Amino acid sequence: MQSREDEALARAAVDALTGQLALAPKPGLPDPRDLAARTTRVDHRALRWSAKALTPGLAAMAAAARRTGEPTPVLRAELGAIGRCTEHSVALAGGGHRGALWALGLLVAAAALDPRAGAQDVAATAKRIAAHPDRRAPRRPSRGSSISAKYGAAGARGEAKAGFPHVRRALDTLATTRATGATETQARLDALLTVMSTLQDTELLHTVGPLGLRQVQAGARGVLEAGGTATAAGAEALAAFDTDLSTRAWSPRGSAGLLAGALFLDSLPVG
C-alpha cells in the first residue's frame, strides 16, 4: 500500500511539472509553441520526455520520508543523495528540471510525512526538512549558490528554507483567479506571473544581471496590474511581455519550477 502511495505522490508531482510545461504562452520559457526550440533553445518535447525520468526518484524520496517519519538531518541527507542520482537519470533522458526537482522533491517528501496535511502544512514541513544541511553534498559551490552569495538573493535553498513563499503566493493567486471565473490556463498564467514579479531568480541574475531581473519583474507586474491574463488589457500586456523576453532570449527559469511546486500542492486533497 505504501509503495502505491509513494508512486501516486511521484506521479502527481510529475503531472504538475508536465502541466506547467503545457501552459502557454509562458514569457521566456519553453512551451508548446517552441517545439523546434527556436525561441528558448530548449526542445519542449525533450523536456516533456525527461520529466518522466523524475518519477522513480520522487517515489524514492516519498518512501524515504515515510520510512524516516520525521524531518530529520538523516532524511535531508538521504533526499540529497536520491536527488543527485535522479539528476543523473534526467540528464541521460535529455536534461532539464533541476530547479523543479529540488522543489518537488522536498514537497513530495513533506507530503509523504503526513498524507493528511494540506498545502500550507506541507510547505511548512518542507521548510523543516530544508533547514538541515546536507552533509553529503559536494563541497564545490554551485552556480546558483555563487550567484546567491554575489547578489544576496535567496536562491532555491533560501526559498525552501523560508517555506516556499513564492509557491504559497502562487497558490493564493490560483484560488483568487479561479474565483473570478477565469479559465484554468489564465489562473495558472497569473500564478506564474505572480512568482515572476518578485522572485530573485538566480538564473536571470547570472545571465542578465540585476537590471535585467528588475525588468523581468516589472514586466510580470505590468500584466497583473493590467488586470491579469483574463482581461483584454492583461492579455495584451502578456503578449508584449512574451515578445520582449523572446526577442532578448531571457529565460526566468526559476519561476517555472516553483509554479510546478504550487500545482503539485494544489493537487493534494484538502487536509
Side-chain angles (χ1 to χ4, degrees):
M1 176 65 72
Q2 287 185 345
S3 64
R4 289 200 296 270
E5 292 172 353
D6 299 335
E7 290 167 3
L9 282 173
R11 286 196 301 271
V14 172
D15 286 347
L17 179 55
T18 55
Q20 178 275 120
L21 288 169
L23 192 61
K26 296 200 301 289
L29 295 168
D31 64 34
R33 301 170 301 165
D34 205 27
L35 293 179
R38 291 185 300 271
T39 303
T40 61
R41 301 190 299 279
V42 178
D43 189 323
H44 187 262
R45 288 168 295 193
L47 286 173
R48 285 184 300 177
W49 173 257
S50 63
K52 299 176 183 179
L54 273 70
T55 307
L58 291 170
M61 291 181 186
R66 216 180 291 275
R67 183 175 62 253
T68 305
E70 295 289 339
T72 61
V74 171
L75 174 59
R76 173 67 186 89
E78 188 165 0
L79 294 179
I82 296 169
R84 287 186 286 277
C85 291
T86 305
E87 283 182 7
H88 180 67
S89 298
V90 173
L92 293 175
H97 314 303
R98 185 172 185 178
L101 173 60
W102 166 254
L104 290 171
L106 287 170
L107 293 171
V108 162
L113 283 172
D114 185 358
R116 298 164 297 179
Q120 299 295 333
D121 289 334
V122 170
T125 300
K127 175 181 178 179
R128 293 173 61 195
I129 299 172
H132 300 297
D134 181 0
R135 302 194 184 282
R136 299 180 189 172
R139 295 299 181 186
R140 63 183 183 278
S142 66
R143 186 173 74 186
S145 63
S146 299
I147 295 297
S148 294
K150 181 177 179 179
Y151 292 108
R157 286 179 174 80
E159 180 77 13
K161 289 179 179 179
F164 290 103
H166 285 89
V167 168
R168 290 184 276 116
R169 289 173 198 160
L171 279 171
D172 290 343
T173 299
L174 285 171
T176 301
T177 309
R178 287 167 179 162
T180 68
T183 67
E184 183 63 18
T185 294
Q186 290 163 344
R188 292 182 176 196
L189 284 172
D190 279 6
L192 174 66
L193 292 164
T194 297
V195 175
M196 230 181 261
S197 67
T198 55
L199 182 69
Q200 298 290 308
D201 192 318
T202 53
E203 181 67 24
L204 278 174
L205 283 170
H206 171 71
T207 56
V208 302
L211 290 177
L213 171 63
R214 286 196 287 273
Q215 186 168 331
V216 171
Q217 291 172 333
R221 281 196 303 274
V223 179
L224 297 172
E225 290 168 357
T229 58
T231 68
E236 183 178 349
L238 175 65
F241 183 40
D242 178 44
T243 298
D244 182 52
L245 292 196
S246 296
T247 300
R248 297 176 185 274
W250 290 1
S251 185
R253 296 176 190 169
S255 298
L258 294 174
L259 175 63
L263 295 178
F264 168 68
L265 291 184
D266 184 62
S267 74
L268 297 177
V270 177

